Amino acid sequence: MIKEIIHKKKLYALIIKETYQKKKGISFFTKNNANQQIGFMNHPKNYFIKPHNHQKRETKIFITSEVIILQKGKLRVDFYDTKKKYLFSIVVKKNQIIMLVHGGHGFKILEPVKMLEIKQGPYVNNKDKIKFDKIDEKRIKIKKI
């Protein structure tokens, strides 16, 4: 159900396959120390989640992670290391979730998609993202997940 994409001992991505929807209760897919948390909840009617608030605290985040929830279609994710060198690609399908953590990434739409993207803010366009050239299509290597 959960696949970690690791390169040189660093977590580049976490992929949550569509079977997560069969879980009951509360399931968190990320480790407690991850800078972004992903959890799934499946509760019956009249289940009660106790009211709560989150404490104000200072947190330092050194890298922006993104979560993409693919609601429809197929998306190819191309992975790059921190020096912009292409590594490999994977295909994410409908109802799968991917959290992108380290390195660079690019996307190619393989089938029309509807997706949600969630990332930490605030976002400063000219400071948070450095764009670079994509890999030649002839050099794409799809890694099975």
Side-chain angles (χ1 to χ4, degrees), residues 6-46:
I6 299 189
H7 178 72
K8 293 191 175 178
K9 299 183 181 179
K10 285 206 177 253
L11 178 67
Y12 270 60
L14 182 71
I15 298 159
I16 303 160
K17 298 199 175 185
E18 60 278 6
T19 53
Y20 76 88
Q21 296 178 21
K22 295 178 182 173
K23 297 283 262 178
K24 301 284 186 211
I26 300 171
S27 300
F28 271 83
F29 307 117
T30 49
K31 295 179 178 154
N32 285 343
N33 65 348
N35 66 341
Q36 188 145 17
Q37 301 292 312
I38 303 173
F40 175 70
M41 296 182 199
N42 183 0
H43 300 300
K45 182 179 177 177
N46 293 325

Side-chain angles (χ1 to χ4, degrees), residues 84 127-132:
K84 305 174 189 164
K127 290 185 179 180
D128 286 334
K129 188 184 281 189
I130 298 169
K131 294 183 181 179
F132 53 93

